């Protein structure tokens, strides 16, 4: 290897890797490291014998340590200036590793990560962990890292970097990465090494042997959730709430703000829904051009009531809604996104609650499936927008957040189904379980519904992006996130925060059977 004044320690956890370890160690020796540390844990083959024959420092553990703990155990014993972490199940050519290590051995970088740009920009439905890597890095304001992560080998760090993040953090790689970012460590990620092709398939970890996500994916998603639990010091992670008037909601709850119902409207008692009745809830702000058509289309699915929550309007929205027979509430102030839905749900009397926006009309044939789904036993019926996962690459942050939250709930079947998007509908049971107040933060309401054991499904596709009105002040920004995007990201952080509060620091996800007590010895 090219001369450097920094010494190198290589750490390799191994569990029954006799078939590949020799090749891995031969490659490592070509780097002339100060030491190679093999953490053999739970081995019943010749792994330890092979490590000894190569002159490695052998740490022998009779039982498996669980994912990633071996790296931390090895790192505690390392004495080099730079620590390189590898896996034992495939070798990487010495010249490739030399190039990978240049920024840290010959430069001033604190950490080096494998560059996964090829997977980030690949035109295919993204892997679940790819999505979580993207979301995590963006939430920590490191969009430049894309999906690069110390989940992947090889990765390397200086001894000083390890001291700053704490060796125990290596047992959860994402927690280690979060601390690297928070410590403003300098991270290089310019060299791409293919570790996907040679990686060994382990049926117990990677196979779909039970419903839901494979065990390895649950573990890695849980690692991300646990890291967020440490990083964020507020329920929304510092992201804007979009001007929601939560104070008005509190006043309504306490009876200090009488609901401003200006018209009680009219509806029909229908037989369309097997004796169930339909309430349609429509928040509106300066929508005089569209509200009439929205209500006209809704009338065709025979609602018992149409509730229009007019807020912050200076046009004729309220008068038009009243003339068309809506139960109309008029708030002089803007309530902020989704607050009108929450208030409308509070006063709804139907068995089915259908939520719409006021700025575009949806034909009745596209509204009826959301009502019928509730009749058929669904509690939360969502707009099926999964085609987005195959539409543009990489994913927009909002799309990625929707998918990430559903994955954290072990509901991959929901894809990007979300109460953020209209149309969606709730059963009366769902409203009682969730409560009307949480509806002002749609993702938190959805998480609450899933955790309550409600039946949640994607039921029908309505391409609302083609219909939705563009609001430049909300949908565009010269730098950073547009206000609407920041609000929606904050909603998803709020959903994750609620999940952690209910299921613990990992959101209830598998932890890889890590023997963390070994690190305390």
């Amino acid at each position: 290897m090219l001369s450097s004044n920094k010494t190198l320690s290589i750490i390799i956890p191994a569990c029954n890797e006799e078939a590949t370890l020799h090749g891995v160690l031969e490659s490592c020796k070509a780097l002339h490291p100060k030491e190679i540390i093999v953490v053999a844990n739970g081995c019943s083959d010749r792994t330890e014998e092979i490590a000894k024959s190569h002159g490695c420092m052998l740490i022998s553990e009779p039982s498996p340590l669980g994912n990633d703990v071996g790296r931390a155990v090895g790192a505690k014993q390392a004495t080099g200036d730079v620590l390189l972490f590898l896996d034992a199940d495939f070798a990487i050519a010495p010249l490739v590793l030399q190039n990978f290590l240049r920024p840290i051995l010959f430069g001033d970088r604190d950490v080096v990560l494998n560059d996964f740009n090829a997977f980030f920009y690949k035109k295919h439905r993204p892997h679940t962990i790819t999505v979580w890597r993207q979301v995590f890095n963006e939430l920590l304001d490191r969009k430049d890292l894309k999906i690069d992560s110390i989940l992947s080998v090889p990765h390397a760090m200086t001894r000083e970097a390890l001291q700053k993040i704490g060796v125990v953090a290596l047992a959860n790689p994402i927690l280690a990465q979060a601390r690297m970012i928070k410590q403003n460590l300098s991270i290089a990620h310019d060299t791409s090494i293919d570790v996907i092709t040679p990686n060994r398939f382990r049926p117990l970890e990677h196979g779909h042997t039970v419903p839901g996500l494979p065990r390895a994916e649950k573990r890695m998603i849980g690692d991300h959730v646990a890291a967020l639990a440490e990083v964020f010091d507020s329920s929304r992670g510092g992201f804007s709430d979009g001007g929601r008037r939560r104070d008005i909601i509190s006043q309504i709850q306490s009876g200090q703000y009488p609901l401003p119902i200006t018209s009680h409207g009219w509806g029909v008692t229908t037989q369309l829904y097997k004796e169930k009745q339909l309430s349609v809830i429509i928040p509106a702000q300066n929508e005089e051009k569209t509200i009439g058509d929205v209500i006209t289309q809704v009338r065709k699915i025979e609602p018992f009531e149409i509730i229009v929550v007019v807020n912050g309007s200076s046009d004729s929205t309220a008068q038009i809604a009243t003339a068309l027979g809506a139960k109309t509430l008029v708030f002089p102030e803007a309530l902020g996104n989704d607050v009108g839905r929450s208030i409308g749900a509070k006063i709804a009397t139907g068995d089915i609650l259908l939520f719409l926006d006021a700025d575009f009309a949806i034909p009745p044939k596209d509204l009826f499936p959301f009502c019928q789904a509730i009749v058929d036993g669904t509690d939360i019926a969502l707009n099926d927008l999964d085609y987005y996962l195959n539409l543009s690459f990489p994913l927009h942050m909002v799309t990625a957040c929707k998918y990430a939250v559903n994955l954290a709930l072990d509901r991959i079947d929901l894809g990007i189904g979300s109460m953020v998007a209209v149309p969606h509908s709730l059963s009366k049971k769902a409203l009682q379980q969730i409560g009307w107040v949480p509806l002002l933060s749609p993702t938190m309401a959805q998480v609450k519904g899933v955790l309550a054991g409600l039946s949640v499904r994607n039921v029908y596709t309505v391409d609302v992006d083609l219909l939705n009105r563009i609001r430049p002040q909300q949908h565009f920004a010269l730098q950073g996130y547009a206000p609407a995007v920041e609000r929606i990201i904050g909603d998803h952080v709020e959903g994750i925060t609620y999940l952690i509060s209910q299921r613990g620091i990992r959101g209830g996800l598998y932890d890889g059977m890590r023997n963390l007590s070994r690190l305390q010895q």
Side-chain angles (χ1 to χ4, degrees):
M1 187 171 187
L2 294 176
S3 176
S4 169
N5 59 4
K6 298 176 184 176
T7 58
L8 178 66
S9 294
I10 302 177
I11 295 108
I12 307 171
C15 180
N16 291 334
E17 303 289 3
E18 65 177 5
T20 53
L21 185 59
H22 171 77
V24 172
L25 295 177
E26 283 294 306
S27 174
C28 290
K29 286 159 70 174
L31 300 178
H32 304 298
K34 180 181 182 182
E35 60 196 1
I36 302 174
I37 302 171
V38 175
V39 184
N41 59 111
C43 293
S44 58
D45 64 359
R46 296 178 57 250
T47 294
E48 294 190 12
E49 179 185 333
I50 293 168
K52 290 177 182 177
S53 72
H54 282 270
C56 299
M57 178 193 296
L58 176 65
I59 300 175
S60 179
E61 301 284 342
S63 302
L65 294 173
N67 288 88
D68 307 299
V69 176
R71 296 181 189 178
V73 169
K76 286 183 74 172
Q77 301 300 320
T79 60
D81 301 313
V82 172
L83 283 65
L84 171 65
F85 296 86
L86 300 174
D87 282 346
D89 51 354
F90 59 88
I92 301 172
L95 288 175
V96 173
L97 287 174
Q98 285 182 24
N99 189 52
F100 177 79
L101 289 168
R102 279 183 185 278
I104 199 167
L105 285 177
F106 300 97
D108 58 357
R109 298 304 182 98
D110 302 307
V111 179
V112 185
L113 303 178
N114 197 351
D115 176 14
F116 268 57
N117 272 0
F119 290 93
F120 186 57
Y121 293 109
K122 189 174 182 180
K123 294 183 177 181
H124 68 157
R125 188 184 183 101
H127 189 272
T128 60
I129 307 306
T130 300
V131 171
W132 257 102
R133 288 180 179 206
Q134 175 189 353
V135 167
F136 184 83
N137 285 336
E138 288 207 37
L139 288 178
L140 271 65
D141 199 25
R142 286 302 303 267
K143 191 173 182 178
D144 60 298
L145 291 177
K146 302 179 178 69
I147 60 170
D148 297 343
S149 167
I150 70 166
L151 273 179
S152 300
V153 293
H155 56 265
M157 66 188 71
T158 63
R159 170 163 300 284
E160 290 79 7
L162 180 62
Q163 290 170 347
K164 288 180 179 180
I165 66 172
V167 68
V168 176
L170 294 177
N172 175 352
I174 306 304
L175 179 58
Q177 181 153 331
R179 292 182 180 179
M180 289 172 184
I181 292 171
K182 288 298 181 180
Q183 293 279 352
N184 292 316
L185 298 182
S186 177
I187 302 173
H189 54 113
D190 305 314
T191 301
S192 178
I193 300 175
D194 179 13
V195 294
I196 302 297
T197 302
N199 198 19
R200 200 171 92 194
F201 175 73
R202 293 174 171 83
L204 188 61
E205 290 293 308
H206 305 133
H208 290 268
T209 56
V210 295
L213 294 166
R215 210 162 72 166
E217 294 175 38
K218 290 180 182 179
R219 167 177 51 81
M220 288 184 276
I221 293 171
D223 287 351
H224 286 86
V225 172
L228 290 180
E230 175 175 292
V231 168
F232 289 139
D233 56 7
S234 70
S235 65
R236 295 182 63 84
F239 289 92
S240 165
D241 199 28
R244 289 184 175 119
R245 295 299 303 272
R246 293 180 187 248
D247 59 321
I248 290 178
I249 290 289
S250 296
Q251 291 172 36
I252 292 171
Q253 280 184 290
S254 64
Q256 298 175 7
Y257 195 119
L259 289 174
I261 301 174
T262 62
S263 169
H264 287 275
W266 57 269
V268 297
T269 301
T270 183
Q271 296 301 312
L272 277 180
Y273 309 115
K274 296 181 179 178
E275 299 183 355
K276 295 182 184 294
Q277 301 304 315
L278 171 65
S279 296
V280 181
I281 297 149
I282 310 169
Q285 183 180 12
N286 290 330
E287 306 289 4
E288 65 181 5
K289 293 181 180 179
T290 53
I291 189 66
D293 195 19
V294 171
I295 293 174
T296 299
Q297 296 301 317
V298 166
R299 285 268 173 228
K300 297 178 182 179
I301 57 171
E302 301 182 12
F304 181 72
E305 61 188 357
I306 300 173
I307 301 169
V308 178
V309 183
V310 182
N311 62 106
S313 284
S314 57
D315 66 0
S316 301
T317 298
Q319 292 90 327
I320 296 169
T322 298
L324 291 172
K327 180 182 288 188
T328 308
L329 293 78
V330 180
F331 291 83
E333 57 274 276
L335 297 174
N337 286 81
D338 309 299
V339 176
R341 294 183 194 174
S342 177
I343 293 170
K346 173 179 171 55
I347 66 170
T349 59
D351 308 289
I352 305 164
L353 280 68
L354 176 65
F355 297 86
L356 303 176
D357 283 346
D359 53 350
F360 55 88
I362 300 174
K365 71 178 182 63
D366 294 329
L367 296 175
F368 184 74
F370 295 91
C371 306
Q372 185 61 44
I374 304 301
V375 175
D376 293 339
T378 299
D379 294 307
I380 303 177
L382 302 175
N383 194 352
D384 185 354
L385 299 175
D386 263 16
Y387 68 91
Y388 273 83
L389 293 175
N390 303 301
L391 188 63
S392 62
F393 311 94
L395 296 181
H396 187 279
M397 183 57 171
V398 167
T399 302
C401 281
K402 290 176 179 178
Y403 197 20
V405 167
N406 286 334
L407 292 171
L409 291 166
D410 197 16
R411 290 297 305 271
I412 191 172
D413 59 299
L414 293 179
I416 64 167
S418 173
M419 287 175 64
V420 170
V422 294
H424 63 265
S425 59
L426 301 181
S427 67
K428 183 180 288 186
K429 172 186 172 183
L431 180 62
Q432 292 168 344
Q433 289 275 351
I434 296 170
W436 66 273
V437 174
L439 295 180
L440 63 79
S441 181
T443 306
M444 204 274 274
Q446 182 170 328
V447 171
K448 191 172 183 181
V450 171
L451 295 185
L454 297 173
S455 171
V456 185
R457 290 196 304 122
N458 296 339
V459 300
Y460 187 79
T461 299
V462 179
D463 191 349
V464 289
D465 271 2
L466 291 178
L467 303 171
N468 202 10
R469 194 175 93 196
I470 298 296
R471 294 174 170 84
Q473 289 184 328
Q474 286 294 311
H475 298 143
F476 299 106
L478 294 177
Q479 59 182 7
Y481 295 115
V485 172
E486 180 165 341
R487 181 192 76 248
I488 294 170
I489 293 172
D491 288 352
H492 287 80
V493 174
E494 193 171 355
I496 291 293
T497 302
Y498 181 77
L499 172 62
I500 292 168
S501 74
Q502 298 300 303
R503 286 191 173 175
I505 196 168
R506 298 181 60 82
L509 293 169
Y510 173 69
D511 74 346
M513 296 186 290
R514 292 172 170 134
N515 181 6
L516 297 179
S517 63
R518 173 64 178 82
L519 293 174
Q520 309 305 323
Q521 297 173 10

